[in-house]
Amino acid sequence: MQNLKYDNWPKSLNNTTRTGCRFLIMLDSRNNYSTNNNNISKTDWSVALGRKGPLLPAHRLANLYMNKGKDITAVEVNKVLAFSGIKITQSMLDKILNRPRLDFSNLDSNTTRSDNFLQTVGAVRGKIQIPGVYIWTHLSTGDMYVGSSSTLARRLIGYFNGTHKNTGKLIPLIKREGIGAFKLQVIPLIEEYTVNQELSLEQYFLLQSEFNLNTLKVVNNFSGARAKPLYMYTKDLSELIYSSEIQEDFIFKLRIHHNIFSNSLKTGAYYLGKYIFTDKPIVGARESNMTETAINTMLDKDRVEVQSSKSRKVLIKAVDGNNTKLFDSISSCITYLNSIAPSNKTTLYRHIISGKPYHGYICQWVSELTTPIVDKGVQVNVTHVPSDTTVTYPSIRKAALSFAPEYITTGPTIKAFAENGKLFKGEYKIAIISE
């Protein structure tokens, strides 16, 4: 085994940090990829912004490489991670893969306190934290999981202590069968280490089909909100329409407001009555392979249909409750609101979604209203289960508004939780009662 004494570790490990830089994957007519930089041409910017040319999301590239069954090289790794700006050379990848690995078997609660673990991986509270990659192998099935961390000891102790969130395939399996049902292999990155090198190595393994306990095939532990993956499917989850490792792409490329997909993620609400958003890929769903231009054209058509639909009337009610008006379309509503203060459709859409007042009015689609919402004979009990306190509201709408600004919700959501009996935000019991 190589010498892992503290004296041999580079000083740069003391202050390593993860950085997530936003890069876009672009496919040109020669099937060559590049990342955006200061020298990018106007033509390339058109492709990057989705104005022309096809884009290949990172997860789709990963699946493409896996399905080809060919050897994975640094070229494939770098293309998948192009959106992040992280790169690795083939020579460095070969060096890392040929280095000795640390094997731990007969795992139990004492493993992380053993001399072997402490001397090679390190201690949780150690002054120097070793970055690297770890591989779990399920002994009875051979199923594998790969992960990485810039602080291996701290990450691994969470598996042994059971403190990681119960998500994905690996954690529930460990909690069911115990840590002794696995063996652990660790690849510490000490020699010639560069920041985020562990992510490149993890991505290399993720492109190997044997790592079937990983639900995501693109590394996703970059810092910052820009690195949150998002997927848009048809509402039956049978077809993937669009995805990105950066949620902002939905805002700036598809012109979908953040509140829309955030609400869909929280409540399962449909967008334009046809689409739904998830933060994880759906296994078995087919991919549309539509260009961004085609998707925008389709969404624009859907938006027009929704706006022109007779059911999309707009009801506005003054916050003080003294004035209620019904409009046949959003255009006629905007005409009225302009008589009060400058107004536009985009802002009105946003206030309808969030439930926040606009020019002194609460605005809502009539198609989203039900009789109980406008029926004065309906009351809503909201019980905070942990404290066993109940507040009664005179309408579903007022019950929904009571959660703002901590929880932005709508009347239909409150009604749905009342009907299905589930706890809203895991804490509130909703009950609709009649006078």
Side-chain angles (χ1 to χ4, degrees), residues 279-290:
D279 55 6
K280 291 182 176 60
I282 304 299
V283 178
R286 65 180 182 275
E287 298 186 16
S288 67
N289 294 321
M290 297 174 64

Side-chain angles (χ1 to χ4, degrees), residues 358-378:
Y358 188 41
H359 299 331
Y361 288 91
I362 298 298
C363 310
Q364 191 168 9
W365 300 117
V366 173
S367 60
E368 292 181 353
L369 296 173
T370 60
T371 302
I373 294 178
V374 297
D375 188 351
K376 295 182 180 180
V378 169

